[in-house]
């Protein structure tokens, strides 16, 4: 087991990639805090982990809110010993519209949930990671943080921001033995891609737009998150790992 005695927080742990990562971490011996705005999803993940003998708690959290992020971290460190791993993963998409038609409120919501949340996670977790002697932060960016796509202005900008926030934190806290990396998933089979899946004309193209000609699974992304969280990645920091079936090169 690769995460024995480690304490980890996974945001967006109530669904998709975050759920798969939380379950994987628990199987590897970590004590996991599942954070999500959706209590039904969060409790479901909690049940799945406990059923298979893992240790976890759920803390309902809106990752846009600094007070709730502080409470999430306090709840975790008071329940378990310290904090070693933070996965800043919660995120949303937005409807496919030209930038000139994107409502300002939608821009703000996407930037707050996908990017400001990563800043808040780093801001409040780093002091606890330092107290624990160091650790790892993994931020979920996207293929669309590395490559532009029409009608995705806010999502593109938020996920590109995550890539450089990752490099920034890696530089600032490397001396504290904290590694900070990002993952950049391609099209993965979760709720967030539901509207693309409904598009009968575009889905056959979108779902095969990579070298492997298929979409990925949440477990395939969780494997990459686990690797970056584990000691096997001890000399990797500031990196963005594509988990996209070759989507970036396509
Ligand atoms: N699925 C893909 O194709 C894909 C590709 C690239 C990147 N991503 C990124 O992966 C991450 C996980 O998404 P997913 O694919 O598992 O989708 P998902 O919709 O299954 O999971 C996202 C989770 O984030 C939670 N969430 C949303 N807003 C929140 C908030 N304000 N506070 C706390 N939690 C909140 C949701 O409740 C949900 O449980 C996101 O950052 C997404 O942008 C997904």
């Amino acid at each position: 087991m690769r995460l024995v005695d480690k304490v980890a927080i996974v945001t967006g742990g109530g669904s998709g990639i975050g759920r798969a990562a939380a379950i994987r971490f628990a199987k590897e011996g970590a004590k996991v805090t599942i954070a999500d705005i959706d209590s039904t999803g969060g409790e479901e993940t909690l049940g799945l982990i406990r059923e298979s003998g893992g240790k976890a708690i759920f803390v309902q959290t809106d990752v846009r809110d600094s007070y709730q992020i502080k409470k999430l971290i306090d709840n975790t460190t008071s329940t378990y010993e310290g904090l070693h791993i933070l996965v800043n993963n919660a995120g949303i998409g937005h409807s496919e519209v030209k930038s000139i038609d994107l409502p300002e409120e939608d821009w703000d919501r996407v930037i707050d949930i996908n990017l400001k949340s990563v800043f808040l996670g780093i801001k409040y977790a780093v002091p606890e990671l330092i107290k624990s002697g160091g650790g790892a932060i993994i931020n979920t960016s996207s293929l669309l943080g590395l490559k532009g796509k029409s009608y995705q202005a806010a999502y593109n900008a938020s996920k590109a921001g995550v890539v450089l926030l990752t490099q920034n934190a890696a530089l600032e806290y490397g001396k504290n033995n904290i590694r900070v990396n990002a993952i950049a998933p391609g099209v993965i089979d979760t709720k967030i891609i539901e509207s693309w899946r409904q598009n009968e004309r575009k889905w056959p193209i979108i779902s095969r737009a990579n070298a492997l000609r298929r979409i990925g699974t949440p477990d395939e992304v969780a494997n990459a998150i686990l690797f970056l969280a584990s000691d096997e990645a001890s000399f990797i920091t500031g990196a963005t790992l594509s988990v996209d079936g070759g989507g970036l090169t396509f």
Side-chain angles (χ1 to χ4, degrees):
M1 292 210 282
R2 282 178 270 184
L3 301 181
V4 175
D5 294 333
K6 301 290 186 197
V7 177
I9 295 173
V10 182
T11 73
S15 176
I17 293 168
R19 171 175 289 175
I23 291 172
R24 195 70 210 278
F25 279 12
K27 281 199 179 128
E28 295 289 336
K31 296 167 205 158
V32 182
T33 299
I34 304 149
D36 206 292
I37 198 166
D38 170 19
S39 57
T40 308
E43 296 287 353
E44 267 172 29
T45 306
L46 182 64
L48 290 167
I49 290 177
R50 288 190 174 160
E51 267 166 31
S52 54
K55 287 203 173 71
I57 57 170
F58 168 62
V59 180
Q60 188 173 22
T61 310
D62 183 341
V63 293
R64 287 170 284 193
D65 180 352
S66 58
Y67 173 78
Q68 294 189 41
I69 294 281
K70 277 189 253 178
K71 200 180 80 180
L72 166 69
I73 290 166
D74 286 351
N75 272 354
T76 302
T77 54
S78 59
T79 305
Y80 302 127
E81 297 260 304
L83 178 66
H84 308 98
I85 299 162
L86 169 67
V87 184
N88 284 311
N89 166 78
I92 56 165
H94 62 81
S95 51
E96 299 241 301
V97 286
K98 287 185 179 167
S99 317
I100 57 172
D101 297 324
L102 182 68
E104 193 177 333
E105 311 83 77
D106 289 12
W107 168 273
D108 287 344
R109 198 162 50 91
V110 171
I111 297 294
D112 282 356
I113 295 178
N114 291 3
L115 180 58
K116 183 184 171 191
S117 65
V118 177
F119 160 68
L120 292 176
I122 291 168
K123 182 173 169 67
Y124 293 108
V126 161
E128 295 302 327
L129 294 173
I130 291 173
K131 279 189 216 160
S132 301
I137 298 176
I138 300 97
N139 301 321
T140 303
S141 177
S142 170
L143 171 61
L144 299 187
L146 302 172
K147 184 174 173 174
K149 185 172 188 295
S150 303
Y151 317 129
Q152 289 293 324
Y155 193 79
N156 268 159
S158 68
K159 293 299 186 179
V162 169
V163 171
L164 281 204
L165 204 46
T166 298
Q167 290 187 17
N168 167 272
L171 288 167
E172 288 185 4
Y173 305 109
K175 60 181 172 298
N176 301 108
N177 193 31
I178 297 172
R179 295 182 300 100
V180 188
N181 293 291
I183 50 152
V187 182
I188 308 299
D189 191 8
T190 71
K191 283 192 303 200
I192 213 172
I193 61 157
E194 212 38 56
S195 62
W196 288 356
R197 199 191 272 284
Q198 304 302 329
N199 189 325
E200 284 177 19
R201 191 174 58 81
K202 285 193 184 162
W203 180 244
I205 301 162
I206 294 172
S207 61
R208 292 171 59 80
N210 61 46
L212 299 180
R213 304 290 202 276
R214 66 168 176 86
I215 64 169
T217 68
D219 285 338
E220 289 176 309
V221 184
N223 286 338
I225 297 174
L226 171 63
F227 167 65
L228 291 171
S230 76
D231 289 344
E232 286 164 25
S234 56
F235 201 52
I236 302 178
T237 195
T240 296
L241 177 59
S242 290
V243 190
D244 64 359
L248 186 60
T249 57
F250 194 69

